[in-house]
Amino acid sequence: EYTDPHCNGKQVIVHLFEWKWTDIANECERYLSHKGYCGVQVSPPNEHTIITKEYPRPWWERYQPVSYILHSRSGNEAQFKDMVQRCKAVGVRIYVDSVVNHMAGMGRQGTGTAGTHFDSDAYSYPTVPYSREHFHDDCPVNNYGDPNNVRNCYLVGLSDLDQSKEYVRNKIADYYNHLIDIGVAGFRIDASKHMWPNDLEAIQAKTKNVDGGGKALFYHEVIDQNDGAIKVNEYYDLGLVTEFRYCQKIAWGINNFGQLNGVVDYGWGMSKSDRALVFVDNHDNQRGHGGGGNLLTHKNPRNYKMAVAFTLAYNYGFTRVMSSYGFQSTDQGPPHNADYSAKDVTINADGSCGNGWMCEHRWNPIGNMVAFRNKVAGTDLNNWYDQGDVVAFGRGNKGFFAMAKQGHAQLQLQSGMPGGSYCDLVTDCKKKINVDGSGRVSVNIDNNEEPIIAIVVDVFT
Ligand code: ARE
Ligand code: CA
């Protein structure tokens, strides 16, 4: 329960951070469905604050809810519905980033993206409606060693809802059920660490089944870096949990190939595989917010491609790919028009994106590895090879992956693959890879190409 993404066994979701609904609908049809993506995590769709005084319209205004009306910087309810339906029609599901721990920051007031007036100091959210009795008393989250402080106080000054109240639980469950009615297949729960598991359980229990049956997917944002009282395993019964230690470990592993063998470190308390939501970076830590520091991002493309391709080839967790926009300041919102509305995502002739959108999910070593992960799902990892700067491994008798950090490798490696001339997924089949009758793969990686190769059964040249 709560762990099924409802996408026919597909294995990878992508976070299209700050994309508009109209662009996501197009992307489902023109790219994601063809590559085997399971679904899209969308930015919070509900009404939020409009913050213009800080860096013009920071991305994080969307983490300050004003109501549950589906009208955000990404679009209105009609556009949202159209996106959900068009994506679903091509086998791609939508997962909503849901912000239900809190409403807007204290000291903020005005009009939200759907035109609702609010005043956080007066605890006034008339459209929900929420008022004083639905919030905890104002105190700062400032002691991660104390669960009461973490869960009942105000995270960065955000007015903290009291989910022990039946009324609040119902309002949140109504929001989820409205989205489920529209056809949404699951939810990221923002700041789950700051809510009591019992309260979340009560809310999730009130949610309807998604169409096709079964509970929606829930994945909980719990930043557990062994630095506080709250552990990811408190949330195992409620769905998947974000595994932020993996971000640190994979960055170290790529920067120092010697450590890749132990990239999933249960000694560190990392989540069990069937509960872990795994990613190389996310919208916070790629810009130094929540859990940041020394991670790999699109700003270091060569290493980033290796990190994501490796993660997709490996056999840990349920994977999420990050798709970003370029930024200089950590607060900077998405590429915008003169009126600060988000720019369209345009597609260049070579398949990359324009208008400032990075579209990492379209980079060949990332987008083409989705098919690999789908194909090898459920197989064991085998034939691990780890010498100098070359790391390689197989997945059952279905796939084989190799990378060479310095960009040079010429060797024969054992795999479990049937013999044949395979298509290299990473180069979109421009490179052919031969496997002999006893499963030995000819690995040839050259400095002038991507430092990665991957082959999978049934994809022959
Ligand atoms: C903004 C301003 C603040 C202001 C506030 C209220 O930046 O100065 O006080 O508004 O007016 C995002 C941004 C915040 C932003 C917020 C609201 O990152 O900067 O605040 O939106 O607009 C902790 C939480 C974790 C949280 C991270 C950021 O545990 O849940 O902090 N992550 C989620 C989202 C964020 C979002 C929020 C929560 C709020 O993914 O994008 O914030 O909805 C250790 C601890 C972690 C802790 C981390 C950072 O690693 O173990 O638990 O994460 O430090 O403090
Ligand atoms: Ca809370």
Side-chain angles (χ1 to χ4, degrees):
E1 217 174 46
Y2 307 129
T3 59
D4 181 356
H6 303 284
C7 61
N8 286 325
K10 288 183 268 182
Q11 301 290 325
V12 186
I13 65 174
V14 54
H15 181 195
L16 296 179
F17 179 50
E18 286 283 0
W19 282 42
K20 292 189 293 187
W21 308 150
T22 47
D23 285 320
I24 293 176
N26 291 335
E27 189 69 353
C28 285
E29 293 170 347
R30 71 190 164 203
Y31 185 83
L32 300 175
S33 55
H34 303 293
K35 294 290 172 174
Y37 278 96
C38 157
V40 182
Q41 177 184 317
V42 302
S43 285
N46 60 304
E47 180 175 21
H48 54 85
T49 54
I50 301 172
I51 292 172
T52 49
K53 288 196 200 97
E54 283 146 81
Y55 193 94
R57 293 208 71 174
W59 59 272
W60 45 255
E61 66 177 34
R62 299 182 71 167
Y63 292 88
Q64 302 198 27
V66 167
S67 79
Y68 300 123
I69 294 175
L70 297 181
H71 192 150
S72 65
R73 177 157 26 175
S74 288
N76 61 28
E77 177 157 349
Q79 292 163 329
F80 183 84
K81 278 184 175 154
D82 183 62
M83 166 187 73
V84 171
Q85 281 158 11
R86 284 169 58 194
C87 288
K88 203 160 115 191
V90 293
V92 181
R93 306 307 304 262
I94 298 295
Y95 308 96
V96 162
D97 189 353
S98 68
V99 185
V100 299
N101 171 63
H102 52 263
M103 299 299 280
M106 295 305 278
R108 299 193 190 269
Q109 60 189 61
T111 307
T113 42
T116 299
H117 287 280
F118 73 99
D119 180 350
S120 58
D121 286 349
Y123 299 93
S124 170
Y125 295 91
T127 307
V128 182
Y130 285 138
S131 54
R132 178 66 191 94
E133 64 193 297
H134 305 123
F135 293 89
H136 287 123
D137 292 341
D138 190 355
C139 53
V141 170
N142 57 11
N143 180 4
Y144 277 100
D146 174 10
N148 287 296
N149 174 269
V150 174
R151 289 172 171 152
N152 296 344
C153 287
Y154 286 39
L155 171 65
V156 296
L158 296 158
S159 50
D160 203 58
L161 286 165
D162 182 354
Q163 293 85 7
S164 71
K165 299 249 159 69
E166 192 64 14
Y167 177 89
V168 174
R169 291 176 177 178
N170 285 332
K171 287 296 174 190
I172 295 170
D174 287 350
Y175 172 48
Y176 287 154
N177 284 332
H178 181 202
L179 291 164
I180 290 168
D181 284 340
I182 290 172
V184 158
F187 303 92
R188 169 189 186 262
I189 305 199
D190 180 71
S192 277
K193 181 177 181 175
H194 301 273
M195 294 181 274
W196 296 96
N198 281 346
D199 292 340
L200 290 168
E201 191 176 3
I203 292 165
Q204 291 181 207
K206 290 174 187 286
T207 59
K208 300 180 180 182
N209 283 353
V210 300
D211 54 5
K215 289 288 194 178
L217 171 71
F218 283 88
Y219 52 101
H220 294 268
E221 191 224 4
V222 181
I223 304 182
D224 173 359
Q225 291 169 316
N226 305 331
D227 55 355
I230 289 156
K231 303 279 170 224
V232 289
N233 59 19
E234 293 172 50
Y235 294 80
Y236 283 171
D237 290 343
L238 299 170
L240 307 182
V241 294
T242 53
E243 183 43 83
F244 279 81
R245 287 161 291 203
Y246 183 83
C247 306
Q248 288 175 275
K249 259 300 184 89
I250 187 67
W252 291 3
I254 297 295
N255 293 330
N256 170 9
F257 259 25
Q259 298 192 0
L260 276 178
N261 203 3
V263 67
V264 177
D265 193 335
Y266 294 109
W268 269 24
M270 281 171 69
S271 167
K272 56 182 184 174
S273 184
D274 64 358
R275 287 296 181 280
L277 182 86
V278 175
F279 45 97
V280 172
D281 63 329
N282 83 341
H283 74 281
D284 283 325
N285 66 19
Q286 70 169 202
R287 47 175 52 67
H289 286 236
N294 292 319
L295 302 177
L296 288 172
T297 74
H298 64 87
K299 297 201 178 196
N300 185 348
R302 195 167 185 278
N303 282 4
Y304 189 68
K305 287 174 191 169
M306 285 192 271
V308 179
F310 177 93
T311 301
L312 293 175
Y314 207 66
N315 63 346
Y316 182 56
F318 187 66
T319 42
R320 178 180 62 194
V321 166
M322 179 69 202
S323 189
S324 318
Y325 55 82
F327 61 90
Q328 279 80 46
S329 133
T330 64
D331 292 334
Q332 182 179 338
H336 60 81
N337 302 308
D339 65 355
Y340 290 109
S341 60
K343 273 194 179 165
D344 292 344
V345 177
T346 53
I347 308 297
N348 302 320
D350 65 358
S352 65
C353 296
N355 268 348
W357 301 95
M358 295 306 309
C359 288
E360 299 94 304
H361 69 285
R362 281 175 166 259
W363 298 359
N364 279 341
I366 297 176
N368 290 349
M369 285 303 289
V370 173
F372 183 100
R373 193 174 188 82
N374 287 342
K375 193 73 120 186
V376 304
T379 62
D380 288 334
L381 198 144
N382 60 19
N383 293 304
W384 177 267
Y385 177 88
D386 188 350
Q387 289 284 314
D389 73 330
V390 179
V391 164
F393 57 89
R395 292 293 305 275
N397 57 5
K398 295 198 165 158
F400 192 78
F401 175 85
M403 60 187 188
K405 191 178 177 188
Q406 309 300 333
H408 186 79
Q410 219 165 19
L411 68 173
Q412 297 273 315
L413 293 176
Q414 186 61 47
S415 81
M417 303 279 289
S421 171
Y422 290 89
C423 209
D424 172 33
L425 298 177
V426 172
T427 51
D428 240 345
C429 215
K430 280 187 204 73
K431 201 159 140 180
K432 328 261 177 240
I433 294 172
N434 202 62
V435 178
D436 73 18
S438 54
R440 295 188 64 83
V441 186
S442 307
V443 176
N444 286 300
I445 294 176
D446 227 34
N447 240 326
N448 57 7
E449 51 193 28
E450 305 284 10
I452 311 160
I453 58 163
I455 56 176
V456 85
V457 281
D458 303 337
V459 186
F460 296 106
T461 59

